[in-house]
């Protein structure tokens, strides 16, 4: 089975490829000739995932799946949430996003947060969604060089290391995206 993964984020592709069984081949946006920025204008994580999957189906005629992820911080009423990638501005700079988040949490005692991923699958005219959540907290300082995005400042419940310090295999096992993709793969295996 071949299926398009509607992202240009090479880090996401690497993470997801390691979760997908060998009989499922991921096809990149580059491979289908999609160079444009796919719209993400919805006000929910689920809405953005569905919008991206629908865009590929409508413009390229291919079944696909897309994901959207947000970091929801309790003390910030769920922010940055759906705006996680653009939290510090439209340039989507992870360093700037982390700097802003750490600054906003300086005077806060509650550092609990959760990562939430929603995967939307557009397959044979139907849309299905799969959600993964990982609860944790925001650290005071950055630790680790692995991963991407907010990984250097997010520590999952029960772990002393940030996502950026964990192996990819461990992050996929306990993380939000890994949980959502596992549900997607289970569903695809039933088709």
């Amino acid at each position: 089975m071949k299926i398009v993964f509607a992202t240009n984020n090479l880090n996401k592709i690497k993470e997801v490829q390691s979760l997908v069984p060998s009989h499922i081949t991921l096809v990149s946006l580059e491979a289908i000739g999609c160079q444009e920025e796919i719209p993400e204008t919805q006000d929910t994580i689920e809405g953005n995932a569905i919008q991206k999957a629908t865009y590929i189906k409508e413009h390229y005629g291919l079944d696909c799946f897309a994901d959207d992820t947000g970091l929801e911080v309790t003390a910030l009423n769920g922010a940055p949430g759906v705006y996680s990638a653009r939290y510090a501005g439209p340039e989507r700079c992870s360093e700037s996003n982390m700097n802003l988040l750490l600054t906003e949490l300086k005077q806060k005692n509650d550092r609990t947060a959760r990562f939430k991923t929603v995967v939307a699958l557009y397959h044979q005219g139907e849309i299905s969604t799969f959600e993964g959540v990982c609860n944790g907290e925001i650290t005071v300082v950055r630790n680790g060089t692995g991963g991407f995005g907010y990984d250097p400042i997010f520590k999952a419940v029960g772990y002393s290391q940030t996502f950026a310090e964990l192996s990819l295999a461990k992050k996929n096992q306990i993380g939000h995206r890994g949980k959502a993709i596992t549900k997607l793969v289970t569903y695809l295996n039933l088709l």
Side-chain angles (χ1 to χ4, degrees), residues 67-80:
D67 79 316
D68 197 41
T69 296
L71 176 64
E72 300 172 339
V73 180
T74 306
L76 302 177
N77 299 316

Side-chain angles (χ1 to χ4, degrees), residues 54-167:
T54 302
Y55 182 91
I56 294 303
K57 183 64 176 179
E58 289 176 351
H59 289 82
Y60 293 88
L62 300 168
D63 285 351
C64 66
F65 70 92
D67 79 316
D68 197 41
T69 296
L71 176 64
E72 300 172 339
V73 180
T74 306
L76 302 177
N77 299 316
V82 71
Y83 305 105
S84 293
R86 301 175 300 278
Y87 193 43
E91 63 280 349
R92 299 174 179 241
C93 174
S94 294
E95 286 298 316
S96 298
N97 289 338
M98 284 189 287
N99 288 340
L100 177 58
L101 184 61
L102 291 174
T103 298
E104 292 190 346
L105 286 177
K106 272 187 180 172
Q107 305 303 319
K108 308 282 186 187
N109 292 325
D110 183 359
R111 299 183 78 85
T112 58
R114 71 178 195 158
F115 268 122
K116 176 181 173 183
T117 292
V118 176
V119 173
L121 171 67
Y122 202 120
H123 182 71
Q124 296 180 347
E126 300 287 325
I127 295 178
S128 304
T129 59
F130 310 89
E131 182 179 299
V133 171
C134 183
N135 294 306
E137 65 181 54
I138 303 301
T139 59
V140 176
V141 296
R142 290 176 186 78
N143 287 300
T145 57
F148 61 100
Y150 295 92
D151 286 357
I153 61 170
F154 182 82
K155 193 167 43 173
V157 170
Y159 288 82
S160 59
Q161 298 169 300
T162 67
F163 269 3
E165 295 174 293
L166 296 175
S167 69

Side-chain angles (χ1 to χ4, degrees), residues 15-76:
E15 271 188 18
V16 172
Q17 188 68 64
S18 69
L19 291 164
V20 176
S22 58
H23 72 277
I24 298 174
T25 303
L26 296 185
V27 179
S28 69
L29 290 179
E30 183 180 7
I32 66 167
C34 179
Q35 303 297 325
E36 65 265 28
E37 188 75 23
I38 299 175
E40 295 180 62
T41 58
Q42 303 303 305
D43 59 3
T44 66
I45 293 166
E46 181 180 46
N48 275 341
I50 292 169
Q51 181 180 26
K52 289 188 279 188
T54 302
Y55 182 91
I56 294 303
K57 183 64 176 179
E58 289 176 351
H59 289 82
Y60 293 88
L62 300 168
D63 285 351
C64 66
F65 70 92
D67 79 316
D68 197 41
T69 296
L71 176 64
E72 300 172 339
V73 180
T74 306
L76 302 177

